[in-house]
Amino acid sequence: MVRSYFRVEKILMEIASGSEVISLSEIGQTSYGPNGYELYMIDITDNKYRSERKKHVCISAGIHGDEPAGVEAVIRFLKDISQGSPILRSVNITLFPCNNPYGYEAGQRSNGNGNDLNREFRRKRPDAEVLLIKRGLAGRSFDLSLELHEDVDSPGFYLYELKKDTEASFGKDIINIISERYPVNLNEEIEGMRADGGVISLKGSESEIKEMIQKRRRWPQALYQFNRGTRHCITCETPVNIRMEERANMHLLALEYILKRLGGVVYEKKA
Ligand SMILES: [Zn+2]
């Protein structure tokens, strides 16, 4: 075991129990492991601020077990926001903190059944983790979905962006912010796809993009999200050749920018 999921669970429970804006839900267990691994979904909302116009953001981390920086980033984010934040005037957040607990502990991409969960979102009978995420998402619609990943082969940060025609692009701005402090992958091709200044995006109108998605047999969570109506999907990829703390920082910089843009207010970090 390279990492402890129990540690993650403990931290999540501590943060939630001391917070009025964070609520932690157990959403079900994996089918393997002595008692199964419990999966969690978190809602961050400040009921002091009632507005019909709040934006709804979904954040997911840890679906690939050997990409732990996303999990670290969401833990730090939860600590920062646990006592409230101006951003919650205009944004509600649904968060999946660690979607592949077995892989997280084993330090492997796949889950306990040896499957890549981030290719199962179109399967009729996906593994329990994917089923539980899809159930958690059901009935909720999102303005933006953010997924936190890492790439062992990349010399720097990059991201995937998928959005409806009506949405402004955030990709270049996020890259600019991150490039002030960290390396960015500026290759013209990343993971077999055309990239432009660290941004990989499917070009075309919304209906053309939907058509491309329909042709794909295996869906990652981002394609599932877009197909179910999420307006804007961003997947961040951090390089693993720098320290964990810095990789988590990169994810947090992207997240802070996104919340600021969506909410129209500056999200200020506590000292
Ligand atoms: Zn990944």
Side-chain angles (χ1 to χ4, degrees):
M1 189 166 95
V2 298
R3 278 179 289 273
S4 162
Y5 185 62
F6 179 67
R7 169 192 158 260
V8 174
E9 292 182 292
K10 214 170 139 243
I11 294 171
L12 294 177
M13 284 172 198
E14 275 169 17
I15 297 172
S17 70
S19 172
E20 289 182 1
V21 298
I22 292 174
S23 62
L24 179 68
S25 313
E26 299 180 350
I27 56 171
Q29 287 111 20
T30 60
S31 51
Y32 47 80
N35 302 304
Y37 287 94
E38 186 71 47
L39 257 74
Y40 297 89
M41 185 169 85
I42 291 166
D43 284 297
I44 311 173
T45 179
D46 192 333
N47 293 321
K48 277 205 307 287
Y49 306 120
R50 292 180 190 279
S51 162
E52 298 295 307
R53 290 166 50 214
K54 279 191 193 179
K55 298 281 169 70
H56 198 174
V57 176
C58 183
I59 304 169
S60 305
I63 199 163
H64 290 141
D66 57 348
E67 302 172 10
V71 179
E72 289 309 308
V74 299
I75 287 173
R76 273 173 51 191
F77 174 70
L78 288 167
K79 284 180 180 165
D80 283 346
I81 209 165
S82 63
Q83 301 311 311
S85 160
I87 195 71
L88 297 175
R89 283 188 194 131
S90 43
V91 178
N92 286 333
I93 298 164
T94 297
L95 193 152
F96 296 86
C98 188
N99 283 331
N100 178 4
Y102 181 94
Y104 181 78
E105 290 204 323
Q108 68 179 43
R109 181 179 177 89
S110 56
N111 75 345
N113 293 329
N115 292 326
D116 184 341
L117 296 169
N118 207 31
R119 298 292 178 270
E120 289 199 344
F121 279 81
R122 202 179 189 174
R123 261 174 62 174
K124 280 217 171 68
R125 285 186 205 82
D127 282 285
E129 295 90 332
V130 172
L131 192 71
L132 296 171
I133 297 164
K134 287 170 85 168
R135 269 191 210 150
L137 294 172
R140 296 167 183 237
S141 62
F142 298 100
D143 296 280
L144 189 142
S145 169
L146 173 67
E147 284 159 57
L148 308 180
H149 283 253
E150 302 205 77
D151 185 337
V152 286
D153 301 317
S154 181
F157 180 92
Y158 65 93
L159 61 85
Y160 297 86
E161 182 172 42
L162 198 58
K163 63 176 193 62
K164 293 195 176 189
D165 299 339
T166 50
E167 303 300 298
S169 173
F170 294 176
K172 284 242 151 62
D173 289 344
I174 293 173
I175 293 290
N176 282 341
I177 288 167
I178 286 175
S179 69
E180 283 174 18
R181 287 168 63 183
Y182 298 111
V184 167
N185 185 338
L186 294 173
N187 295 339
E188 285 177 7
E189 193 184 299
I190 302 173
E191 295 287 307
M193 296 179 76
R194 270 188 56 105
D196 180 15
V199 178
I200 302 170
S201 53
L202 288 179
K203 297 273 183 290
S205 68
E206 192 179 320
S207 58
E208 285 167 339
I209 292 173
K210 279 208 162 166
E211 223 170 275
M212 282 184 252
I213 291 175
Q214 286 305 326
K215 284 183 189 142
R216 297 268 292 267
R217 275 180 52 237
R218 294 161 183 267
W219 283 359
Q221 190 179 345
L223 294 192
Y224 176 73
Q225 282 278 22
F226 192 76
N227 193 63
R228 70 188 289 279
T230 303
R231 312 175 67 79
H232 201 156
C233 301
I234 292 174
T235 303
C236 290
E237 300 274 355
T238 53
V240 298
N241 59 353
I242 59 172
R243 284 191 302 132
M244 170 76 89
E245 196 190 333
E246 305 293 337
R247 285 140 59 195
N249 264 343
M250 295 164 108
H251 285 312
L252 288 170
L253 285 170
L255 173 56
E256 284 168 21
Y257 174 81
I258 287 166
L259 294 177
K260 184 175 151 187
R261 273 295 291 269
L262 282 179
V265 287
V266 181
Y267 165 63
E268 279 166 312
K269 255 169 66 179
K270 295 211 174 59

